Amino acid sequence: MKKSLIATAVLLTAVSGAYAQNYSSGKQQYAEASRQAAARYADDKKLCAEETSSSARMQCLRDAKAVYNGALDSAKKASSYNNTYSNGQNNNRNQQVCADCGRVTAVNVSEREGEGGALGVIAGGVAGALLGNQVGGGTGRDLATIAGAAGGAMAGHKIEQKVKSSKIWTVTVQYDNGSKQNYQFENDPGYQYGDQVRASGNSIVRR
């Protein structure tokens, strides 16, 4: 009986180790555990044959059979749990992939030049002509007036562009699916590097 008890302990250790290992599927785990349980059961039966009395041999065989059946039952439960757990992990991974989700990887601020209109050209031309008219006399004054008007018009145009210039915030988003997109805002959107966002129409929102 002592030999049977030792074999039982060894069997339980072997089976536990079998389904504690990281197999790729529940079927592989169950097959390995069953193989080890069958091998241990065969060894136990040999040990039982060495018992001195028939009653001891019968009891030893019953114990070995009970341990063997228990090992198979445990292996089935363990493989079933691992299959469920593995499927759950796969489902979680699938759920975690969000094509519209990403994070901010850059925020850049630039200045967009405004568009100059007729008002700047006219005002600049008038001012330039008046200044040119003060230079020289006769034909020279006429030429200076024309040059002043042309230069003033150009200056007026540039001044109006500068006055109408505005800041642009460009936010770069790296999406979970690997794509990258830039979004532009006329006002500070408040995004910073690392912010978690998701696409919303032609823009983005926090998530």
Side-chain angles (χ1 to χ4, degrees):
M1 290 300 293
K2 289 183 179 180
K3 293 180 179 179
S4 178
L5 292 177
I6 293 174
T8 300
V10 174
L11 173 61
L12 291 175
T13 301
V15 172
S16 298
Y19 58 75
Q21 296 177 12
N22 184 21
Y23 290 101
S24 59
S25 70
K27 288 183 178 180
Q28 287 180 320
Q29 177 185 347
Y30 178 71
E32 178 62 17
S34 298
R35 184 189 66 77
Q36 292 191 24
R40 186 56 55 187
Y41 181 44
D43 290 340
D44 284 348
K45 287 191 290 185
K46 293 179 180 179
L47 291 173
C48 290
E50 297 176 4
E51 293 291 344
T52 56
S53 64
S54 59
S55 60
R57 285 194 295 273
M58 291 300 295
Q59 184 60 48
C60 180
L61 289 173
R62 283 193 294 267
D63 291 342
K65 182 65 173 179
V67 171
Y68 173 69
N69 290 337
L72 292 181
D73 185 60
S74 296
K76 287 180 181 179
K77 290 179 180 179
S79 62
S80 176
Y81 169 80
N82 282 347
N83 279 333
T84 302
Y85 178 73
S86 177
N87 291 334
Q89 281 190 320
N90 290 333
N91 291 335
N92 289 337
R93 281 195 292 269
N94 291 334
Q95 291 174 359
Q96 289 173 359
V97 176
C98 172
D100 295 332
C101 300
R103 67 183 185 90
V104 175
T105 58
V107 179
N108 296 307
V109 182
S110 59
E111 189 169 294
R112 180 170 60 187
E113 192 175 62
E115 295 181 0
L119 181 61
V121 174
I122 293 171
V126 171
L130 289 175
L131 290 174
N133 191 49
Q134 303 299 318
V135 178
T139 304
R141 175 178 292 181
D142 292 339
L143 293 175
T145 300
I146 295 173
M154 180 60 70
H157 181 71
K158 288 297 183 181
I159 291 172
E160 188 177 12
Q161 284 183 325
K162 187 66 175 178
V163 170
K164 290 184 177 181
S165 65
S166 59
K167 289 184 177 180
I168 294 296
W169 282 260
T170 302
V171 179
T172 303
V173 175
Q174 178 74 51
Y175 285 100
D176 293 351
N177 61 6
S179 64
K180 184 179 290 186
Q181 183 71 37
N182 291 329
Y183 297 90
Q184 291 189 337
F185 299 87
E186 294 183 354
N187 298 304
D188 186 358
Y191 291 117
Q192 296 180 349
Y193 177 86
D195 284 350
Q196 300 293 318
V197 297
R198 62 179 177 83
S200 178
N202 294 325
S203 186
I204 52 175
V205 295
R206 284 187 172 82
R207 62 184 175 97

